[in-house]
Amino acid sequence: MKYYLGVDAGGSKTYTLVTDEHGHIIGKGHSGNGNHQLGVEQALGNITNSVAMALQQAGLAHSDIEYAFFGLAGADRPIDYTILRPLIGGLGFTNYGIDCDTMIALRAGTSQPFGVVLICGSGTNSAGKNRQGEFFQCGGYTYQFGDFGGGGTLAVEAFRSVIRSWDGREQPTMLTELLIQFLGYNSVQEMFDDFLDNNKSVPLHTTKLLFEAAEQGDEVACRILKVQGEELGKSAAAVIKRLNMEQETFQVVLAGSVIARGDGPFIYSYIEKAVSEVAPKATIVKLNVEPVIGAVWMAMEAAGNPVTIEVYEKLRTVSDYQTIQLLDKTRM
Protein backbone atom coordinates (compact mmCIF):
# COMPACT_ATOMS: atom_id res chain seq x y z
CA MET A 1 0.00 0.00 0.00
CA LYS A 2 1.22 3.50 -0.84
CA TYR A 3 0.55 6.49 1.41
CA TYR A 4 0.41 10.19 0.61
CA LEU A 5 0.49 13.31 2.75
CA GLY A 6 -0.88 16.75 1.93
CA VAL A 7 -0.46 19.97 3.89
CA ASP A 8 -2.30 23.28 3.63
CA ALA A 9 -0.39 25.85 5.69
CA GLY A 10 -2.16 29.20 5.83
CA GLY A 11 -1.98 32.36 7.87
CA SER A 12 -4.43 31.17 10.52
CA LYS A 13 -4.32 27.37 10.34
CA THR A 14 -2.39 24.37 9.10
CA TYR A 15 -4.21 21.22 7.98
CA THR A 16 -2.57 17.87 7.20
CA LEU A 17 -4.15 14.77 5.69
CA VAL A 18 -2.67 11.32 5.15
CA THR A 19 -4.43 8.97 2.72
CA ASP A 20 -3.75 5.58 1.22
CA GLU A 21 -3.60 5.03 -2.52
CA HIS A 22 -7.36 4.41 -2.62
CA GLY A 23 -8.19 7.80 -1.15
CA HIS A 24 -9.09 6.66 2.37
CA ILE A 25 -8.21 9.31 4.97
CA ILE A 26 -6.20 7.56 7.68
CA GLY A 27 -4.54 10.49 9.46
CA LYS A 28 -5.42 14.10 10.22
CA GLY A 29 -3.57 17.00 11.80
CA HIS A 30 -4.52 20.55 12.70
CA SER A 31 -2.44 23.43 14.01
CA GLY A 32 -2.09 27.21 13.76
CA ASN A 33 -0.32 29.67 11.46
CA GLY A 34 1.92 28.05 8.86
CA ASN A 35 2.96 31.18 6.94
CA HIS A 36 6.68 31.81 7.43
CA GLN A 37 6.16 35.50 6.64
CA LEU A 38 4.32 35.79 9.96
CA GLY A 39 7.13 34.10 11.87
CA VAL A 40 9.46 31.36 10.66
CA GLU A 41 9.81 29.52 13.97
CA GLN A 42 6.08 29.62 14.66
CA ALA A 43 5.27 28.39 11.16
CA LEU A 44 7.81 25.57 11.39
CA GLY A 45 6.47 24.52 14.78
CA ASN A 46 2.87 24.46 13.60
CA ILE A 47 3.63 22.60 10.38
CA THR A 48 5.73 20.08 12.32
CA ASN A 49 2.98 19.53 14.89
CA SER A 50 0.25 19.16 12.28
CA VAL A 51 2.28 16.64 10.30
CA ALA A 52 3.25 14.69 13.42
CA MET A 53 -0.37 14.53 14.53
CA ALA A 54 -1.49 13.13 11.18
CA LEU A 55 1.31 10.57 11.01
CA GLN A 56 0.69 9.41 14.57
CA GLN A 57 -3.01 8.92 13.88
CA ALA A 58 -2.18 7.00 10.70
CA GLY A 59 0.38 4.88 12.53
CA LEU A 60 3.04 5.76 9.97
CA ALA A 61 6.56 7.15 9.93
CA HIS A 62 7.91 9.81 7.57
CA SER A 63 9.67 7.07 5.59
CA ASP A 64 6.33 5.35 4.90
CA ILE A 65 5.04 8.31 2.88
CA GLU A 66 5.40 7.87 -0.87
CA TYR A 67 5.16 11.62 -1.45
CA ALA A 68 4.34 14.66 0.68
CA PHE A 69 3.06 17.87 -0.88
CA PHE A 70 2.99 21.22 0.91
CA GLY A 71 0.76 24.12 -0.12
CA LEU A 72 2.23 27.07 1.74
CA ALA A 73 0.95 30.58 2.25
CA GLY A 74 3.86 32.94 1.68
CA ALA A 75 5.48 30.74 -0.98
CA ASP A 76 5.29 33.64 -3.41
CA ARG A 77 8.77 34.58 -4.64
CA PRO A 78 12.17 32.91 -5.16
CA ILE A 79 13.43 34.47 -1.93
CA ASP A 80 10.65 32.68 -0.03
CA TYR A 81 11.82 29.32 -1.34
CA THR A 82 15.33 29.91 -0.02
CA ILE A 83 13.66 29.77 3.41
CA LEU A 84 11.00 27.16 2.70
CA ARG A 85 13.08 24.49 0.97
CA PRO A 86 15.39 23.87 3.96
CA LEU A 87 12.47 24.33 6.36
CA ILE A 88 10.35 21.65 4.68
CA GLY A 89 13.40 19.57 3.80
CA GLY A 90 14.19 19.24 7.48
CA LEU A 91 10.90 17.52 8.27
CA GLY A 92 12.22 14.11 7.24
CA PHE A 93 10.39 13.20 4.02
CA THR A 94 12.33 11.55 1.20
CA ASN A 95 10.05 12.78 -1.57
CA TYR A 96 8.22 16.07 -1.22
CA GLY A 97 7.08 19.12 -3.14
CA ILE A 98 6.29 22.74 -2.31
CA ASP A 99 4.00 25.25 -3.96
CA CYS A 100 1.98 28.31 -3.03
CA ASP A 101 -1.32 27.55 -1.29
CA THR A 102 -3.13 29.09 -4.26
CA MET A 103 -2.17 26.10 -6.38
CA ILE A 104 -3.56 23.45 -4.06
CA ALA A 105 -6.80 25.43 -3.87
CA LEU A 106 -6.95 25.56 -7.67
CA ARG A 107 -6.22 21.82 -7.91
CA ALA A 108 -8.93 21.02 -5.39
CA GLY A 109 -11.51 23.17 -7.15
CA THR A 110 -11.25 22.11 -10.79
CA SER A 111 -10.54 18.92 -12.69
CA GLN A 112 -8.79 20.88 -15.45
CA PRO A 113 -5.01 21.39 -15.40
CA PHE A 114 -5.48 25.15 -15.80
CA GLY A 115 -7.69 27.94 -14.46
CA VAL A 116 -7.78 30.84 -12.02
CA VAL A 117 -8.11 30.85 -8.24
CA LEU A 118 -9.13 33.66 -5.92
CA ILE A 119 -8.39 33.22 -2.21
CA CYS A 120 -10.04 35.36 0.41
CA GLY A 121 -9.53 33.96 3.88
CA SER A 122 -7.52 35.73 6.55
CA GLY A 123 -5.87 37.57 3.65
CA THR A 124 -6.24 37.61 -0.14
CA ASN A 125 -4.36 36.16 -3.07
CA SER A 126 -5.02 35.30 -6.69
CA ALA A 127 -3.24 33.24 -9.29
CA GLY A 128 -3.72 31.28 -12.47
CA LYS A 129 -2.19 28.78 -14.83
CA ASN A 130 -3.03 28.77 -18.53
CA ARG A 131 -3.27 25.88 -21.01
CA GLN A 132 0.43 26.28 -21.83
CA GLY A 133 1.39 25.89 -18.18
CA GLU A 134 2.36 29.53 -17.66
CA PHE A 135 1.76 30.79 -14.11
CA PHE A 136 0.97 34.25 -12.79
CA GLN A 137 0.25 35.43 -9.26
CA CYS A 138 -1.48 38.74 -8.65
CA GLY A 139 -1.34 40.02 -5.09
CA GLY A 140 -0.80 38.25 -1.83
CA TYR A 141 1.72 40.84 -0.65
CA THR A 142 -0.44 42.98 1.72
CA TYR A 143 -2.21 46.32 1.38
CA GLN A 144 0.99 48.29 0.88
CA PHE A 145 1.69 46.30 -2.28
CA GLY A 146 -1.75 46.65 -3.82
CA ASP A 147 -4.01 44.20 -1.98
CA PHE A 148 -7.28 44.88 -0.22
CA GLY A 149 -9.27 42.65 2.04
CA GLY A 150 -9.39 39.24 3.55
CA GLY A 151 -10.76 38.53 6.99
CA GLY A 152 -8.14 40.60 8.79
CA THR A 153 -8.86 43.74 6.80
CA LEU A 154 -12.64 43.23 6.76
CA ALA A 155 -12.72 42.80 10.54
CA VAL A 156 -10.92 46.12 10.95
CA GLU A 157 -13.24 47.78 8.42
CA ALA A 158 -16.26 46.62 10.43
CA PHE A 159 -14.73 47.87 13.69
CA ARG A 160 -13.67 51.26 12.34
CA SER A 161 -17.09 51.78 10.71
CA VAL A 162 -18.70 51.40 14.12
CA ILE A 163 -16.26 53.90 15.62
CA ARG A 164 -16.87 56.33 12.75
CA SER A 165 -20.62 56.02 13.12
CA TRP A 166 -20.34 56.58 16.87
CA ASP A 167 -18.24 59.74 16.52
CA GLY A 168 -20.28 61.15 13.63
CA ARG A 169 -18.04 60.48 10.62
CA GLU A 170 -20.20 57.64 9.29
CA GLN A 171 -23.92 57.01 8.94
CA PRO A 172 -25.68 54.82 11.51
CA THR A 173 -25.08 51.12 10.97
CA MET A 174 -26.45 47.82 12.29
CA LEU A 175 -22.85 46.82 12.82
CA THR A 176 -22.81 48.87 16.03
CA GLU A 177 -25.19 46.68 17.99
CA LEU A 178 -23.86 43.49 16.41
CA LEU A 179 -20.27 44.36 17.27
CA ILE A 180 -20.68 45.40 20.89
CA GLN A 181 -22.76 42.29 21.55
CA PHE A 182 -20.24 40.07 19.76
CA LEU A 183 -17.32 41.49 21.74
CA GLY A 184 -19.22 41.61 25.03
CA TYR A 185 -19.39 45.35 25.73
CA ASN A 186 -22.23 47.53 26.97
CA SER A 187 -21.43 50.51 24.77
CA VAL A 188 -19.16 51.74 21.99
CA GLN A 189 -17.43 54.00 24.52
CA GLU A 190 -16.52 51.02 26.69
CA MET A 191 -15.25 49.10 23.67
CA PHE A 192 -13.31 52.10 22.35
CA ASP A 193 -11.55 52.69 25.68
CA ASP A 194 -10.70 49.03 26.24
CA PHE A 195 -9.24 48.52 22.77
CA LEU A 196 -7.30 51.78 22.84
CA ASP A 197 -6.01 51.46 26.41
CA ASN A 198 -4.96 47.84 26.02
CA ASN A 199 -3.78 47.94 22.41
CA LYS A 200 -6.21 45.18 21.41
CA SER A 201 -6.61 43.80 17.89
CA VAL A 202 -9.96 43.17 16.25
CA PRO A 203 -10.78 39.42 16.25
CA LEU A 204 -10.71 37.84 12.81
CA HIS A 205 -14.19 36.35 13.19
CA THR A 206 -15.64 39.86 13.40
CA THR A 207 -15.85 39.60 9.59
CA LYS A 208 -18.99 37.46 9.84
CA LEU A 209 -20.87 40.47 11.23
CA LEU A 210 -20.54 42.19 7.87
CA PHE A 211 -22.56 39.42 6.23
CA GLU A 212 -25.14 39.45 9.02
CA ALA A 213 -25.64 43.20 8.65
CA ALA A 214 -25.62 43.06 4.84
CA GLU A 215 -28.35 40.42 4.85
CA GLN A 216 -30.50 42.93 6.73
CA GLY A 217 -29.79 45.61 4.13
CA ASP A 218 -27.22 47.63 6.08
CA GLU A 219 -25.66 50.12 3.66
CA VAL A 220 -22.33 50.37 5.44
CA ALA A 221 -21.78 46.60 5.50
CA CYS A 222 -22.91 46.24 1.87
CA ARG A 223 -20.48 48.96 0.80
CA ILE A 224 -17.52 47.27 2.50
CA LEU A 225 -18.34 43.90 0.94
CA LYS A 226 -18.83 45.54 -2.45
CA VAL A 227 -15.30 46.94 -2.32
CA GLN A 228 -14.00 43.47 -1.45
CA GLY A 229 -15.88 41.91 -4.36
CA GLU A 230 -14.69 44.54 -6.81
CA GLU A 231 -11.08 44.15 -5.71
CA LEU A 232 -11.22 40.37 -6.13
CA GLY A 233 -12.81 40.87 -9.53
CA LYS A 234 -9.97 43.17 -10.56
CA SER A 235 -7.44 40.54 -9.47
CA ALA A 236 -9.19 37.82 -11.47
CA ALA A 237 -9.31 40.04 -14.57
CA ALA A 238 -5.62 40.89 -14.20
CA VAL A 239 -4.64 37.19 -14.04
CA ILE A 240 -6.85 36.32 -17.02
CA LYS A 241 -5.39 39.09 -19.17
CA ARG A 242 -1.77 38.42 -18.19
CA LEU A 243 -2.16 34.75 -19.15
CA ASN A 244 -4.10 35.51 -22.36
CA MET A 245 -7.05 33.40 -21.26
CA GLU A 246 -9.81 35.74 -22.47
CA GLN A 247 -11.12 33.27 -25.09
CA GLU A 248 -10.58 30.12 -23.04
CA THR A 249 -13.17 27.95 -21.30
CA PHE A 250 -12.04 27.49 -17.71
CA GLN A 251 -13.11 27.80 -14.09
CA VAL A 252 -12.43 30.55 -11.59
CA VAL A 253 -12.21 28.84 -8.20
CA LEU A 254 -13.25 30.82 -5.13
CA ALA A 255 -11.42 29.65 -2.01
CA GLY A 256 -11.06 30.88 1.56
CA SER A 257 -13.69 31.29 4.26
CA VAL A 258 -14.85 34.76 3.19
CA ILE A 259 -15.89 33.80 -0.34
CA ALA A 260 -16.07 29.99 -0.39
CA ARG A 261 -18.46 29.70 2.55
CA GLY A 262 -20.11 33.11 2.58
CA ASP A 263 -23.71 33.26 1.39
CA GLY A 264 -25.45 35.98 -0.57
CA PRO A 265 -24.45 38.13 -3.52
CA PHE A 266 -22.51 40.72 -1.54
CA ILE A 267 -19.10 39.70 -2.89
CA TYR A 268 -19.84 37.02 -5.49
CA SER A 269 -21.84 39.19 -7.91
CA TYR A 270 -19.00 41.70 -8.33
CA ILE A 271 -16.49 38.95 -9.08
CA GLU A 272 -18.89 37.41 -11.59
CA LYS A 273 -19.35 40.74 -13.36
CA ALA A 274 -15.61 41.41 -13.64
CA VAL A 275 -14.84 37.92 -14.94
CA SER A 276 -17.68 37.87 -17.49
CA GLU A 277 -16.46 41.15 -18.99
CA VAL A 278 -13.00 39.79 -19.83
CA ALA A 279 -13.59 36.02 -20.22
CA PRO A 280 -17.22 35.26 -21.18
CA LYS A 281 -16.60 31.50 -21.43
CA ALA A 282 -15.29 31.24 -17.87
CA THR A 283 -17.44 29.93 -15.05
CA ILE A 284 -17.13 30.59 -11.34
CA VAL A 285 -17.19 27.77 -8.78
CA LYS A 286 -16.93 27.81 -5.02
CA LEU A 287 -14.40 25.42 -3.57
CA ASN A 288 -16.43 22.84 -1.65
CA VAL A 289 -13.56 20.79 -0.30
CA GLU A 290 -10.65 21.92 1.83
CA PRO A 291 -7.57 22.88 -0.25
CA VAL A 292 -5.57 20.28 1.69
CA ILE A 293 -7.30 17.65 -0.45
CA GLY A 294 -5.78 19.35 -3.50
CA ALA A 295 -2.40 18.91 -1.81
CA VAL A 296 -3.06 15.18 -1.49
CA TRP A 297 -3.96 14.92 -5.17
CA MET A 298 -0.81 16.84 -6.11
CA ALA A 299 1.25 14.47 -3.96
CA MET A 300 -0.16 11.51 -5.85
CA GLU A 301 0.47 13.13 -9.23
CA ALA A 302 4.00 14.21 -8.29
CA ALA A 303 4.77 10.60 -7.42
CA GLY A 304 3.71 9.58 -10.93
CA ASN A 305 0.36 8.15 -9.92
CA PRO A 306 -2.57 9.91 -11.63
CA VAL A 307 -5.62 10.50 -9.46
CA THR A 308 -8.13 7.80 -10.36
CA ILE A 309 -11.85 8.44 -10.62
CA GLU A 310 -12.28 6.33 -7.46
CA VAL A 311 -9.87 8.48 -5.46
CA TYR A 312 -11.16 11.70 -6.95
CA GLU A 313 -14.77 10.95 -6.11
CA LYS A 314 -13.99 9.57 -2.67
CA LEU A 315 -12.17 12.71 -1.55
CA ARG A 316 -14.51 15.12 -3.37
CA THR A 317 -17.36 13.84 -1.20
CA VAL A 318 -15.55 15.06 1.92
CA SER A 319 -16.85 18.64 2.20
CA ASP A 320 -14.94 21.47 3.84
CA TYR A 321 -17.09 21.34 6.99
CA GLN A 322 -16.76 17.57 7.25
CA THR A 323 -12.99 17.84 6.86
CA ILE A 324 -12.83 20.49 9.57
CA GLN A 325 -14.86 18.30 11.90
CA LEU A 326 -12.54 15.37 11.22
CA LEU A 327 -9.49 17.52 11.85
CA ASP A 328 -10.92 19.14 14.95
CA LYS A 329 -11.44 15.73 16.54
CA THR A 330 -7.67 15.32 16.63
CA ARG A 331 -7.50 18.13 19.19
CA MET A 332 -9.99 16.57 21.60
Side-chain angles (χ1 to χ4, degrees):
M1 184 70 72
K2 295 180 180 178
Y3 302 99
Y4 302 91
L5 181 143
V7 175
D8 173 20
S12 59
K13 50 77 181 172
T14 298
Y15 286 164
T16 301
L17 287 183
V18 176
T19 76
D20 64 20
E21 62 192 62
H22 301 297
H24 297 111
I25 298 174
I26 59 174
K28 305 167 290 289
H30 185 198
S31 190
N33 162 54
N35 186 341
H36 76 283
Q37 295 175 351
L38 302 178
V40 173
E41 292 303 320
Q42 182 188 59
L44 175 60
N46 284 328
I47 293 171
T48 301
N49 291 339
S50 181
V51 167
M53 191 183 299
L55 288 174
Q56 182 179 21
Q57 189 175 104
L60 299 174
H62 291 74
S63 58
D64 296 319
I65 301 298
E66 183 78 8
Y67 203 97
F69 200 93
F70 296 78
L72 305 173
D76 299 318
R77 301 165 60 226
I79 193 171
D80 294 310
Y81 285 85
T82 63
I83 298 170
L84 293 172
R85 286 195 185 96
L87 185 148
I88 299 301
L91 294 179
F93 293 104
T94 303
N95 301 308
Y96 64 91
I98 304 169
D99 208 334
C100 183
D101 59 343
T102 54
M103 288 296 97
I104 63 170
L106 179 60
R107 181 63 188 87
T110 178
S111 58
Q112 293 178 298
F114 60 93
V116 173
V117 60
L118 297 177
I119 295 180
C120 190
S122 57
T124 65
N125 205 345
S126 59
K129 183 178 288 186
N130 63 17
R131 191 183 294 272
Q132 294 74 37
E134 296 172 313
F135 170 82
F136 177 63
Q137 178 178 325
C138 180
Y141 302 114
T142 74
Y143 182 85
Q144 181 176 332
F145 294 93
D147 298 340
F148 173 86
T153 298
L154 293 177
V156 171
E157 288 292 312
F159 184 90
R160 73 188 298 270
S161 292
V162 169
I163 299 299
R164 287 167 61 83
S165 177
W166 169 65
D167 65 20
R169 288 180 287 177
E170 178 63 86
Q171 69 190 77
T173 171
M174 295 177 185
L175 289 167
T176 299
E177 190 62 29
L178 290 171
L179 184 64
I180 61 174
Q181 287 184 3
F182 178 69
L183 296 178
Y185 295 101
N186 295 313
S187 66
V188 177
Q189 180 73 64
E190 181 183 351
M191 179 184 72
F192 178 89
D193 291 337
D194 188 35
F195 268 71
L196 196 59
D197 294 343
N198 296 291
N199 196 29
K200 288 188 173 182
S201 299
V202 184
L204 189 63
H205 294 313
T206 302
T207 299
K208 69 179 183 179
L209 303 182
L210 288 169
F211 289 95
E212 292 180 24
E215 286 168 359
Q216 300 178 60
D218 185 76
E219 292 183 10
V220 174
C222 287
R223 185 169 66 242
I224 294 170
L225 295 178
K226 177 186 178 184
V227 173
Q228 178 68 92
E230 290 175 339
E231 286 294 323
L232 290 168
K234 290 176 182 177
S235 294
V239 172
I240 292 166
K241 291 177 181 177
R242 180 65 69 92
L243 294 174
N244 299 310
M245 297 174 68
E246 294 96 325
Q247 303 306 316
E248 293 279 4
T249 299
F250 62 93
Q251 292 178 317
V252 177
V253 179
L254 306 184
S257 57
V258 174
I259 51 175
R261 298 173 199 158
D263 296 324
F266 312 109
I267 293 179
Y268 183 93
S269 61
Y270 300 104
I271 298 173
E272 186 175 45
K273 181 177 184 295
V275 170
S276 65
E277 288 176 352
V278 297
K281 297 179 185 177
T283 56
I284 298 175
V285 297
K286 286 187 177 182
L287 184 62
N288 59 10
V289 297
E290 279 292 317
V292 68
I293 292 176
V296 171
W297 289 338
M298 292 178 78
M300 293 178 175
E301 291 165 341
N305 300 306
V307 179
T308 65
I309 294 177
E310 173 197 10
V311 170
Y312 185 79
E313 292 301 325
K314 185 178 270 79
L315 288 173
R316 286 286 292 180
T317 60
V318 181
S319 72
D320 49 2
Y321 298 110
Q322 289 172 322
T323 304
I324 291 169
Q325 289 168 358
L326 287 169
L327 291 166
D328 283 347
K329 288 179 181 179
T330 65
R331 295 182 296 168
M332 295 175 63

